[in-house]
Amino acid sequence: MNARAPQLPDIFPEAWASAWGQDRYGLWQAFEVKGVVQVMRWIPPGEFLMGSPENEPERWADRELLHSVVLTRGFWLADTACTQALWRAVLDESPSRFEGDDLPVEQVSWDEISARFLPELNRLTPGLEAALPTEAQWEYACRAGTQTPFWFGGNITPEQVNYDGNYPYAGGKKAEYRERTVAVKALPCNGWGLYQMHGNVREWCADWYGDYAMGKAVDPAGPPGGRGRVLRGGGWVYDAGYCRSASRSDGEPAERDGRFGFRLARGFSPRQAG
């Protein structure tokens, strides 16, 4: 990773934080809504290769053009997918197929997240300005400085990821298929302290889906319009190959599905006044 900006946020902690600190994964801040706590991890600025190399097994060549991306400012990203407990604390409802406070919320559409959940969360937590991550932010954070198909290496097991083990990756062995979501912290986190960015639920991103532009991209935010919003990360019902860091697909913004959840982002860290 080649940093293009200061590695630490200008403001830490921010006014919305109910707790904060530093551990082996880096800086973190947490906010709280009606007793439900969500930790946000500091993701430093940097440059990385987005997409997949030509020799990566099961890549979609027309979707995963390998190209350089520069993120000029750091941002905060939730350490887990949004839980059912947090969704219920914000909107007082439980839309998910699989029930449990520490399970990821699913069966939520991009439209519901953007029009209902985020505005109410930001009303309840002044200054948070929560959003969905851009696709580039999501992949950068998922990789955590790696370039292999998964942050932990070149293949995958159910001890690392919740996916359909009947469909292994790149010649791997068949394995357990849980047939449901698991708790958001049930499996290991990556080197930046982020849990289950591979598998469990596919995560909505802010961008419209579209082809990558040729050449280096700086703080990309996707095309200006389209029909589908980006989904990342694979999920409990997906083949192993769909859980790769570079794997991408899209969904209709109004689509509600038991495979789809999301992860909160803080956006770019604010700069110190003056």
Side-chain angles (χ1 to χ4, degrees):
M1 182 182 68
N2 300 313
R4 299 303 181 92
Q7 290 292 304
L8 300 178
D10 282 0
I11 302 173
F12 180 81
E14 296 185 47
W16 50 264
S18 59
W20 54 89
Q22 184 173 12
D23 58 22
R24 64 192 180 104
Y25 300 112
L27 297 178
W28 61 271
Q29 301 181 93
F31 66 86
E32 184 174 339
V33 179
K34 299 176 184 177
V36 179
V37 175
Q38 175 65 67
V39 171
M40 307 290 283
R41 288 277 175 188
W42 171 243
I43 310 299
E47 181 173 352
F48 76 112
L49 290 176
M50 186 172 182
S52 60
E54 293 182 1
N55 63 350
E56 183 165 302
E58 301 186 28
R59 75 186 294 257
W60 294 77
D62 60 338
R63 300 182 187 179
E64 300 175 16
L65 174 71
L66 192 65
H67 63 294
S68 179
V69 171
V70 178
L71 298 179
T72 63
R73 294 173 61 188
F75 58 98
W76 296 90
L77 188 67
D79 69 338
T80 69
C82 179
T83 62
Q84 293 176 33
L86 181 57
W87 183 276
R88 188 164 47 252
V90 173
L91 292 181
D92 194 28
E93 64 183 31
S94 184
S96 300
R97 172 184 177 185
F98 304 111
E99 296 183 0
D101 284 352
D102 59 352
L103 296 179
V105 71
E106 19 88 4
Q107 296 197 138
V108 291
S109 70
W110 192 97
D111 286 344
E112 288 176 302
I113 297 164
S114 298
R116 298 180 59 226
F117 182 84
L118 290 174
E120 181 62 11
L121 173 61
N122 289 328
R123 186 189 71 80
L124 293 169
T125 315
L128 178 60
E129 299 179 13
L132 291 173
T134 68
E135 184 178 18
Q137 288 175 332
W138 191 99
E139 185 171 329
Y140 176 66
C142 177
R143 290 188 177 281
T146 68
Q147 201 56 46
T148 46
F150 310 95
W151 67 259
F152 44 78
N155 219 308
I156 184 175
T157 71
E159 289 71 41
Q160 299 160 316
V161 176
N162 184 24
Y163 65 102
D164 185 346
N166 293 306
Y167 300 94
Y169 180 66
K173 295 180 180 179
K174 287 188 176 183
E176 178 183 10
Y177 175 29
R178 295 180 174 92
E179 301 186 58
R180 57 168 298 137
T181 58
V182 298
V184 294
K185 290 188 177 182
L187 299 173
C189 64
N190 72 8
W192 286 348
L194 305 170
Y195 290 88
Q196 296 191 70
M197 297 198 74
H198 302 297
N200 216 22
V201 288
R202 206 130 173 89
E203 298 182 8
W204 290 108
C205 293
D207 312 38
W208 289 106
Y209 182 87
D211 294 337
Y212 292 145
M214 298 291 290
K216 181 178 289 189
V218 178
D219 297 328
R227 292 191 304 174
R229 296 286 184 174
V230 172
L231 286 158
R232 285 304 205 110
W236 63 272
V237 74
Y238 286 90
D239 300 4
Y242 284 92
C243 299
R244 293 174 299 112
S245 298
S247 178
R248 58 197 300 258
S249 64
D250 66 310
E252 294 285 341
E255 185 175 0
R256 301 175 76 245
D257 194 296
R259 300 169 295 171
F260 301 164
F262 69 102
R263 183 180 305 259
L264 292 166
R266 171 64 175 80
F268 288 123
S269 181
R271 298 192 188 280
Q272 187 74 51

